């Protein structure tokens, strides 16, 4: 019996959080920011490597970067946000996965159902992280994009 | 009116070739899982009114092969469940199969695993999981939750084997706590919680070098169940030939 | 060309009885044991057994006042003395072992303080012997048995394979024909032994507690093969079915202390069953509810036009309901929006259990019209009629019967295979070709008619709901028989409109309706013939029980013109029939 191909599986489906809970949105964002950070890591290694290739190579690299104009700062801003989100969310995931925190204990389900792993503690953690990350990101953006130094 | 009522209406009155599964209509058999407005749900208990739209999008469950219309292939899902050995394992198998005694289990101990035993095998969690969408060999939230259900059962002595089954490259480490499984579960089995608790068990063995927990010992019965007064019950007698009625 | 698949043992139906039989066959046979196949028209774990809620009866604590005789007496009295008493005795003596065996296999029974298995009161039982697992006992029993089967590899599962007929030649079972829904293939299973465990026929009625799959297929298989079916006119109407669909609200709600209240606010069972009140057997309570509604003391639901009374659980309190009755709270809130902690639940008697079925002996062997056992054929569970439940089944006895008879049948099958009696797998029979013709060519090529099978099904359910319900009378039953015969004639003109081979549910529905119509004729005609009221069969024109003329089982056999009726005596070995008062 031949196996039918799986319906709507694959990368796009796994990253599509529409209709789902906020933890799934944060999963999608965590994955995307992870890819951004890896991309940035590669680019950064490549860029810093140019330092060892002599002054000319370094100046050329810097010039090509600066020629992007505002895009360079926006890119750095995105990377900053990714690092902030990925790090903070990572702490929440560490608590979840390695220590089983924020998940709740086994209960006797009572209708209407509300799973404890998506309950009070988890939601507080998610929104606190989102709030803190947003504030810090805006702060970073103000500095990067407008030069404004707040605090 | 539920989505299932609407589908039945379609098949019975408009187009008899619409394929979908259904049986109990009360959310206990798990046949009617399908993706309704983008989220896997049980059609028999999804009221049309909560969807807040005039045109409802119904699709087969994601990440499963489609056999016809809304009928999907649940064979891989069932096979994953079987692969985690979801049954009571005892070192002395006679205790389990050939004894006349029962295990004494307190209500608190039952409560440690009962929530995960509510699973109706509907496949919604398997379909909602983003890791399943990416990796067809991932055993899936349902299988891990069932494995944990047996790990937490005081009557089970298969802790070591279960840890080995979970601690694989397509096992418990593939979960990234998206929580979609618990979100769509119609019986509040909360597989996300079970998976993290299973992970803790794996870490207990691998990192902390804990030994397996010994299962509950069977206790003698308060009586052997044989009637005290009056006639003795007949032995399990099959007779030869037929039984003719006088 | 029909493909033949060979096995030693096949089990048709994968509910409690089927899975228990499979578990018994696999436990007793070693690796090279008989080849076992479990065939079901649904995927496993989808069977209707998962909806059983209340409990499973067993004498677990004889030192605390319970006894096997008490359980047997309760069952026999509850059956209105139509049960075969030696069968009942065999049944009650095997129940306790089953509970303990399930417990060792992982069943999460609810527990007492000291960790032993708990039991609760149930209707008709004079001792609290309903072993329960919250209020989803059937579901957990199915989970336990299904998980147990995952331990073994030497069996084949044929999910979503619909058995269309069984082949019985020369008093021997040869095999059965089936349609594989996944591919549309017609296959012939050749086997030395078979167990029919397909459940009852609750879907004949519109207001029913049963799943859409409970269409009496197995009973129809035996009927079509010319084997007698027994006591089909006895249908149990469970008192508490949720408006508007008939979904079951367990008897355990009354066991935990719920009240049945009419529109005047009184607990009306005081008038009908003063000593047992809400815990009287189900037929007594159903009749009481219908009498109250008939005399104008019920409520009416505007949307569906159904009348109902109230099941009041408010005095139990939130904690008790959440701990002991969580599933019915979920059902009530999901389908009617009523929270049992705040408001009473609207309920009405609903078609629930088929006391009748395939005629079997005490070992589950199917009997033919001469009371000879058919070689190689067994039936267990609701599809079989041993008869343990007689004219009315006590609550919590059915899950127990499925388990006990699943075990007996499993063992008996193995003994048969090991004995010299066992016959080799037969050759293909000419019957197979004619069956294929009937299923495929007949139903698909009926070009000339426009009969819609779904219209016939809806009409059948309406007729049964109206005339063959809790209270029956001559006029209604005669009308029902006539209308069912008309529908049967119309069925010959039905055409399957979906031409696909893959998952053709239209074909499945059509085949099921064919069986339903035949069984409905047996039920209605049997009810018309039986001029007395006994257990679940209550006639307004013959309100008394008539032991002189009617203390016998009804047997029905298929002929070209409809069912032909005969009777078989009831085996009375322990207690003489007395008046049944609660």
């Amino acid at each position: 019996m031949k196996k039918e191909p799986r319906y709507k599986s694959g990368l796009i489906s796994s990253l599509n959080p529409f209709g789902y809970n906020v933890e799934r949105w944060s999963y999608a964002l965590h994955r995307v920011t992870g890819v951004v950070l890896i991309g940035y890591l590669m680019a950064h290694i490549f860029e810093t490597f140019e330092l060892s290739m002599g002054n000319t190579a370094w100046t050329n690299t810097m010039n090509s970067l600066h020629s992007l104009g505002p895009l360079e700062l926006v890119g750095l801003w995105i990377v900053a946000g990714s690092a902030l989100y990925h790090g903070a969310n990572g702490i929440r995931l560490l608590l979840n996965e390695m220590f089983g925190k924020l998940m709740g204990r086994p209960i006797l389900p009572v209708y209407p159902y509300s799973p404890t792993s998506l309950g009070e503690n988890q939601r507080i953690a998610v929104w606190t992280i989102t709030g803190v990350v947003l504030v810090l990101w805006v702060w970073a953006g103000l500095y990067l994009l407008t030069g404004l130094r707040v605090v | 009116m539920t989505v299932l009522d609407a589908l039945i209406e379609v098949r019975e009155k408009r187009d008899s070739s619409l394929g979908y599964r259904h049986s109990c209509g009360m959310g206990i058999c798990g046949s009617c899982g399908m993706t309704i407005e983008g989220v896997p749900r049980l059609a028999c208990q999804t009221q049309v009114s909560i969807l807040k739209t005039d045109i409802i999008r119904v699709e087969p469950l994601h990440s499963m092969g489609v056999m016809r219309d809304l009928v999907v292939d649940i064979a891989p899902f069932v096979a994953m469940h079987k692969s985690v050995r979801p049954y009571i394992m005892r070192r002395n198998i006679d205790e389990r199969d050939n004894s006349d005694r029962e295990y004494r289990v307190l209500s608190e101990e039952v409560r440690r695993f009962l929530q995960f035993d509510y699973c109706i095998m509907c496949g919604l969690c398997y379909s909602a999981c983003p890791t399943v969408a990416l990796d067809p060999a991932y055993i899936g939230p349902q299988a891990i939750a069932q494995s944990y259900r047996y790990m937490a059962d005081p009557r089970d002595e298969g802790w070591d084997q279960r840890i080995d089954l979970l601690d694989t490259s397509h096992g418990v480490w593939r979960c990234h706590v998206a929580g979609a499984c618990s979100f769509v579960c119609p019986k509040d089995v909360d597989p996300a919680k079970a998976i993290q608790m299973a992970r803790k068990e794996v870490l207990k063995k691998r990192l902390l070098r804990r030994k397996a927990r010994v299962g509950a010992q069977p206790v003698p019965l308060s009586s052997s169940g044989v009637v005290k007064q009056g006639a003795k019950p007949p032995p399990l007698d099959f007779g030869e030939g037929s039984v003719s009625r006088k | 060309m029909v493909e033949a698949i060979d096995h030693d043992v096949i089990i048709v139906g994968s509910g409690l009885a089927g899975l228990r039989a499979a578990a018994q066959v696999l436990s007793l046979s070693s690796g090279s044991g008989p080849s076992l196949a479990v065939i079901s028209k649904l995927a496993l774990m989808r069977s209707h057994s998962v909806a059983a809620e209340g409990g499973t009866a067993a004498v677990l604590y004889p030192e605390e006042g319970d006894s096997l005789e008490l359980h047997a007496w309760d069952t026999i009295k509850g059956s209105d003395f139509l049960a075969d008493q030696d069968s009942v005795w065999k049944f009650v003596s095997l129940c306790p072992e089953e509970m303990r065996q399930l417990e060792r296999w992982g069943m999460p029974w609810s527990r007492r303080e000291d960790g032993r298995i708990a039991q609760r009161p149930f209707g008709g039982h004079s001792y609290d012997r309903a072993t329960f697992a919250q209020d989803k006992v059937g579901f957990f029993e199915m989970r336990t048995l299904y998980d147990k089967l995952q331990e073994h590899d030497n069996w084949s599962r044929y999910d979503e394979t619909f058995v269309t007929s069984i082949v019985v030649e020369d008093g021997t079972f040869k095999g059965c024909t089936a349609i594989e829904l996944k591919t549309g293939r017609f296959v012939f299973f050749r086997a030395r032994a078979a167990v029919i465990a397909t459940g009852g026929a609750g879907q004949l009625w519109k207001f029913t507690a049963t799943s859409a799959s409970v269409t009496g297929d197995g009973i129809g298989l035996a009927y079509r093969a010319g084997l007698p079916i027994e006591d089909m006119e006895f249908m149990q109407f469970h008192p508490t079915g949720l408006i508007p669909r008939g979904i079951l609200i367990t008897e355990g709600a009354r066991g935990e202390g719920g009240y049945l209240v009419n529109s005047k606010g009184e607990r009306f069972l005081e008038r009908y069953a003063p000593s047992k009140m809400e815990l009287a057997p189900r037929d007594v309570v159903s009749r009481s509810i219908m009498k109250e509604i008939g005399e104008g003391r019920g409520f009416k639901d505007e949307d569906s036009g159904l009348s109902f009374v109230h099941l009041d659980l408010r005095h139990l309190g939130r904690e008790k309901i959440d701990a002991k009755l969580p599933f019915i709270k979920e059902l009530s809130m999901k389908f009617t929006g009523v929270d049992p902690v705040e408001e009473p639940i609207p309920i009405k008697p609903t078609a629930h259990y088929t006391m009748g079925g395939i005629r079997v002996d005490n070992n589950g062997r199917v009997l033919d019209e001469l009371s000879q056992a058919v070689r190689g054929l067994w039936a267990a569970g609701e599809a079989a009629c041993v008869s343990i439940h007689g004219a009315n089944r006590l609550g919590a006895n059915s899950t127990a019967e499925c388990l006990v008879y699943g075990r007996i049948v499993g063992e008996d099958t193995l003994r048969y295979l090991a004995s010299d009696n066992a016959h080799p797998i037969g050759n293909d029979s000419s019957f197979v070709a004619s069956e294929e013709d009937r299923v495929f060519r007949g139903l698909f090529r009926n070009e000339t008619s426009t009969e819609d099978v779904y219209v016939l099904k809806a009409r059948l359910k309406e007729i049964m709901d109206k005339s063959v319900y809790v209270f029956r009378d001559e006029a209604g039953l005669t009308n029902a028989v006539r209308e069912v015969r008309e529908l049967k004639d119309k069925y010959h003109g039905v055409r399957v409109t979906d031409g696909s081979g893959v998952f053709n549910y239209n074909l499945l529905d059509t085949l099921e309706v064919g069986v339903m119509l035949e069984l409905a004729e047996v039920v209605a005609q049997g009810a018309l013939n039986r001029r007395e009221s006994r257990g679940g069969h209550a006639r307004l024109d013959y309100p008394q029980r008539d032991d002189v003329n009617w203390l016998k089982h009804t047997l029905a056999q298929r002929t070209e013109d409809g069912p032909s009726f005969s009777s078989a005596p009831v085996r009375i070995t322990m207690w003489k029939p007395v008046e049944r008062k609660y």
Side-chain angles (χ1 to χ4, degrees):
Chain A
M1 176 113 341
K2 73 160 169 52
K3 244 177 142 128
E4 286 80 14
R6 305 200 304 162
Y7 177 73
K8 280 203 178 165
S9 60
L11 191 62
I12 308 292
S13 261
S14 79
L15 290 178
N16 177 3
F18 282 94
Y20 281 101
N21 47 323
V22 68
E23 290 82 2
R24 174 120 184 218
W25 285 82
S26 87
Y27 161 86
L29 203 53
H30 198 79
R31 284 245 154 179
V32 167
T33 53
V35 167
V36 165
L37 287 176
I38 289 187
Y40 172 70
L41 184 65
M42 307 290 196
H44 186 71
I45 290 180
F46 179 73
E47 171 209 337
T48 322
F49 169 71
E50 294 296 318
L51 260 178
S52 66
M53 299 308 288
N55 216 351
T56 344
W58 174 244
T59 330
N60 286 344
T61 316
M62 280 295 114
N63 283 339
S64 19
L65 261 181
H66 291 321
S67 71
L68 290 170
L71 220 56
E72 179 197 356
L73 290 173
V74 171
L76 280 176
W77 186 48
I78 291 178
V79 169
S82 303
L84 281 168
Y85 185 78
H86 199 90
N89 199 35
I91 295 179
R92 176 181 74 87
L93 288 181
L94 208 70
L95 286 173
N96 273 341
E97 298 183 10
M98 297 296 146
F99 301 103
K101 296 286 172 210
L102 306 174
M103 285 265 141
R105 322 192 125 274
I107 54 154
L108 240 66
V110 171
Y111 191 84
Y113 293 136
S114 167
T116 60
S117 62
L118 308 177
E120 270 308 303
N121 293 342
Q122 185 84 271
R123 292 285 155 93
I124 292 175
V126 167
W127 291 114
T128 316
I129 287 171
T130 315
V132 166
V133 163
L134 266 177
V135 163
L136 292 176
W137 196 37
V138 165
W139 183 39
L142 284 174
Y143 173 59
L144 275 176
L145 301 173
T146 62
L148 200 64
R149 278 197 127 104
V150 183
V151 174
Chain B
M1 179 179 212
T2 62
V3 174
L4 182 64
D5 291 337
L7 290 174
I8 292 177
E9 175 98 7
V10 169
R11 190 201 279 167
E12 291 195 353
K13 303 220 174 97
R14 283 158 224 258
D15 180 3
S16 68
S17 72
L18 179 62
Y20 57 87
R21 286 189 178 120
H22 79 290
S23 181
C24 70
M26 55 199 247
I28 191 69
C29 72
S31 309
C32 57
M34 48 189 81
T35 310
I36 302 173
E37 289 293 319
V39 174
R41 300 176 223 251
L42 288 184
C44 63
Q45 53 181 46
T46 306
Q47 298 287 344
V48 163
S49 47
I50 63 153
L51 297 172
K52 296 194 179 29
T53 162
D54 280 338
I55 301 181
I56 304 177
R57 248 172 72 102
V58 182
E59 301 167 274
L61 282 179
H62 293 340
S63 308
M64 297 200 183
V66 178
M67 298 203 279
R68 182 176 192 195
D69 293 343
L70 298 168
V71 179
V72 292
D73 183 16
I74 59 169
F77 169 71
V78 170
M80 295 300 181
H81 177 230
K82 181 169 174 152
S83 72
V84 296
R85 303 180 68 179
Y87 41 85
I88 295 277
M89 295 200 256
R90 303 272 320 171
R91 290 196 198 101
N92 177 3
I93 209 76
D94 270 338
E95 245 173 35
R96 193 193 68 179
D97 289 344
N98 292 330
S99 124
D100 62 347
R101 310 195 281 182
E102 69 202 37
Y103 299 124
R104 236 174 241 211
V105 180
L106 300 171
S107 290
E108 305 82 74
E109 293 175 314
V110 172
R111 209 158 296 164
R112 276 200 269 135
F113 67 85
L114 187 62
Q115 178 175 21
F116 312 121
D117 211 7
Y118 272 46
C119 176
I120 62 177
M121 296 185 66
C122 57
L124 297 188
C125 60
Y126 189 80
S127 166
C129 176
T131 310
V132 169
L134 283 173
D135 175 15
Y138 174 49
I139 56 181
Q142 192 260 353
I144 303 178
Q146 292 315 302
S147 184
Y148 181 73
R149 173 252 181 275
Y150 280 99
M151 276 201 270
D153 193 327
R155 299 168 283 195
D156 178 66
E157 288 177 339
W159 194 69
D160 286 304
Q161 290 100 313
R162 296 190 202 285
I163 302 278
D164 292 336
L165 283 166
L166 289 181
D167 185 18
T168 64
S169 54
H170 296 285
V172 78
W173 303 113
R174 286 269 170 156
C175 171
H176 302 293
V177 201
C181 50
S182 296
F183 180 66
V184 298
C185 178
K187 309 308 277 185
D188 198 14
V189 173
D190 212 347
K193 181 163 66 189
I195 299 173
Q196 311 322 315
M197 297 180 87
R199 245 197 262 243
K200 263 173 52 181
E201 298 292 315
V202 175
L203 285 173
K204 271 190 211 162
K205 178 163 184 193
R206 301 290 190 226
L207 282 184
L208 301 178
R209 304 273 169 211
R210 292 258 173 87
K211 293 266 180 286
R213 187 172 39 81
V214 173
Q217 295 303 314
V219 289
L221 298 177
S222 35
S223 85
S224 61
V226 173
V227 66
K228 275 195 228 150
Q229 75 275 43
K232 273 199 162 335
L236 197 57
D237 161 40
F238 294 99
E240 286 315 323
S242 62
V243 175
S244 57
R245 294 187 178 199
K246 282 179 276 298
Chain C
M1 198 54 231
V2 177
E3 179 180 340
I5 302 179
D6 292 338
H7 280 286
D8 287 319
V9 183
I10 57 177
I11 296 179
V12 182
S14 63
L16 271 183
L19 292 187
R20 182 69 184 90
Q24 193 68 9
V25 168
L26 289 170
S27 318
L28 290 182
S29 57
S30 52
S32 65
S35 78
L36 173 70
V38 177
I39 306 175
S40 171
K41 75 173 180 188
L42 301 168
L44 291 197
M45 279 303 286
R46 311 287 187 229
S47 308
H48 183 59
S49 299
V50 296
E53 292 171 0
T56 306
V59 176
L60 286 180
Y61 300 112
E63 74 280 8
E64 292 177 12
D66 202 0
S67 72
L68 293 176
E69 283 112 342
L70 201 54
H71 190 185
W73 167 245
D74 286 338
T75 307
I76 291 170
K77 181 177 171 194
S79 77
D80 225 343
F81 297 95
L82 199 67
D84 291 319
Q85 300 185 1
D86 52 344
S87 318
V88 173
W89 185 240
K90 183 170 185 173
F91 158 67
V92 300
S93 45
L94 290 173
C95 286
E97 286 174 57
E98 288 303 312
M99 304 298 107
R100 297 194 164 108
Q101 174 65 81
L102 274 182
E103 195 278 330
R104 291 194 305 274
W105 280 343
M107 174 87 182
W109 295 116
S110 290
R111 302 280 171 162
R112 296 178 170 184
E113 298 291 321
D114 59 358
R116 290 191 298 175
I117 303 176
Q119 298 192 301
R120 70 169 156 203
F122 226 67
H125 291 281
S126 46
Y127 184 83
D128 299 351
R129 65 170 77 90
T131 326
F132 65 106
Q134 298 218 296
D135 58 348
K136 284 158 68 156
V137 75
F139 170 72
F140 284 119
E141 283 172 353
M142 283 285 286
R143 280 296 319 268
T144 309
L145 287 172
Y146 179 78
D147 285 350
K148 172 77 179 65
L149 286 179
Q150 302 309 305
E151 186 175 356
H152 303 275
D153 286 321
N154 51 339
W155 60 289
S156 321
R157 36 189 293 184
Y158 295 92
D159 289 351
E160 298 182 306
T161 304
F162 183 69
V163 174
T164 59
S165 69
I166 56 174
V167 181
V168 177
E169 284 172 0
D170 306 320
T172 310
F173 170 80
K174 291 277 167 64
C176 62
T177 60
I179 300 177
E180 217 179 54
L181 283 178
K182 207 184 322 190
T183 53
R185 263 187 332 168
F186 193 69
V187 295
F188 181 46
F189 284 95
R190 296 192 300 200
R192 292 156 69 195
V195 178
I196 298 181
T198 50
Q203 280 287 313
L204 292 178
W205 283 264
K206 185 166 170 199
F207 193 75
T208 175
T210 57
S211 302
S213 57
V214 181
T215 48
D217 304 321
I219 305 176
L221 288 177
Y223 184 64
R224 283 226 176 104
L227 298 166
I229 58 179
E230 185 174 341
D231 288 344
M232 282 303 288
E233 64 268 22
F234 295 106
M235 183 72 194
Q236 180 171 80
F237 292 92
H238 191 286
T240 49
L242 199 61
I243 303 286
R245 264 210 29 224
I247 293 171
L248 192 66
I249 299 290
T250 177
E251 193 164 8
R254 288 174 282 136
E256 296 292 340
Y259 299 148
L260 282 172
V261 167
N262 63 11
S263 61
K264 287 218 168 85
E266 44 186 32
R267 283 174 72 185
F268 55 85
L269 275 161
E270 221 154 350
R271 286 197 286 278
Y272 304 98
S275 83
K276 289 261 178 149
M277 294 291 281
E278 277 82 10
L279 289 182
R282 294 173 177 179
D283 57 331
V284 173
V285 180
S286 292
R287 283 197 288 273
S288 316
I289 295 178
M290 293 313 289
K291 276 222 183 81
E292 292 291 307
I293 291 177
E295 289 168 15
R297 290 189 288 276
F299 304 87
K300 196 144 166 124
D301 178 45
E302 292 89 39
D303 297 323
S304 54
L306 296 172
S307 317
F308 57 91
V309 297
H310 275 159
L311 173 65
D312 196 351
L313 300 176
R314 292 174 291 186
H315 56 281
L316 295 180
R318 181 176 295 277
E319 265 188 45
K320 195 165 185 193
I321 292 182
D322 282 345
K324 295 247 180 96
L325 299 170
F327 189 43
I328 62 156
K329 176 179 173 192
E330 178 186 342
L331 290 173
S332 173
M333 289 175 76
K334 256 190 325 202
F335 293 107
T336 55
V338 163
D339 185 351
V341 178
E342 315 278 321
E343 299 171 63
I345 308 175
I347 51 95
K348 184 171 106 99
T350 172
H352 177 59
Y353 182 81
T354 316
M355 262 77 73
I358 306 174
R359 184 163 181 237
V360 299
D361 67 5
N362 281 351
N363 296 327
R365 295 180 198 156
V366 175
L367 299 174
D368 64 11
E369 63 272 12
L370 303 168
S371 294
Q372 298 288 324
V374 175
R375 281 173 58 193
L377 189 59
W378 285 261
E382 191 176 348
C385 184
V386 183
S387 139
I388 290 175
H389 308 301
N392 172 59
R393 169 176 77 79
L394 287 188
N397 263 353
S398 173
T399 38
E401 179 197 10
C402 291
L403 294 169
V404 167
Y405 269 86
R407 173 198 172 182
I408 292 177
V409 161
E411 276 188 44
D412 204 23
T413 316
L414 287 178
R415 294 178 82 257
Y416 171 77
L417 289 177
S419 74
D420 288 338
N421 236 343
H423 60 281
I425 295 185
N427 301 322
D428 282 9
S429 107
S430 61
F431 177 82
V432 175
S434 66
E435 175 70 7
E436 185 183 5
D437 202 67
R438 176 186 81 92
V439 168
F440 286 101
R441 283 167 214 124
L443 290 172
F444 277 91
R445 295 285 149 83
N446 220 338
E447 304 281 353
T448 56
S449 109
T450 52
E451 291 294 346
D452 184 353
V453 70
Y454 297 111
V455 168
L456 295 183
K457 184 157 92 165
R459 185 81 199 108
L460 170 68
K461 289 175 169 231
E462 267 173 41
I463 298 168
M464 297 298 277
D465 250 11
K466 195 166 91 145
S467 312
V468 194
Y469 192 52
V470 176
F471 283 117
R472 305 155 177 190
D473 62 12
E474 178 119 12
L477 288 174
T478 320
N479 194 36
V481 171
R482 188 180 48 81
E483 290 220 41
V484 169
R485 289 215 176 108
E486 275 174 28
L487 290 177
K488 265 179 77 175
D489 287 330
K490 284 198 188 151
Y491 178 75
H492 292 302
V494 157
R495 187 167 68 91
V496 173
T497 44
D498 176 15
S500 159
V502 176
F503 276 104
N504 192 335
Y505 282 109
N506 190 228
L507 174 64
L508 188 64
D509 287 340
T510 311
L511 291 170
E512 285 174 352
V513 170
V515 171
M516 280 162 71
L517 286 169
E518 301 215 26
L519 292 181
E521 189 180 3
V522 175
V523 174
Q525 185 70 50
L528 183 58
N529 290 351
R530 187 173 275 266
R531 291 189 181 76
E532 63 153 357
S533 288
R534 182 187 293 266
H537 171 66
R539 296 249 330 223
L540 288 168
D541 40 357
Y542 298 97
Q544 296 305 325
R545 195 176 85 197
D546 183 355
D547 282 341
V548 171
N549 295 319
W550 285 104
L551 187 61
K552 53 191 180 182
H553 296 294
T554 312
L555 296 179
Q557 265 188 289
R558 186 174 196 260
T559 67
E560 279 308 313
D561 309 314
S564 97
F565 287 87
S566 54
S567 63
V570 179
R571 293 197 296 277
I572 301 190
T573 58
M574 293 196 288
W575 291 287
K576 286 239 155 45
V578 296
E579 196 192 345
R580 188 168 168 248
K581 251 194 147 69
Y582 287 98

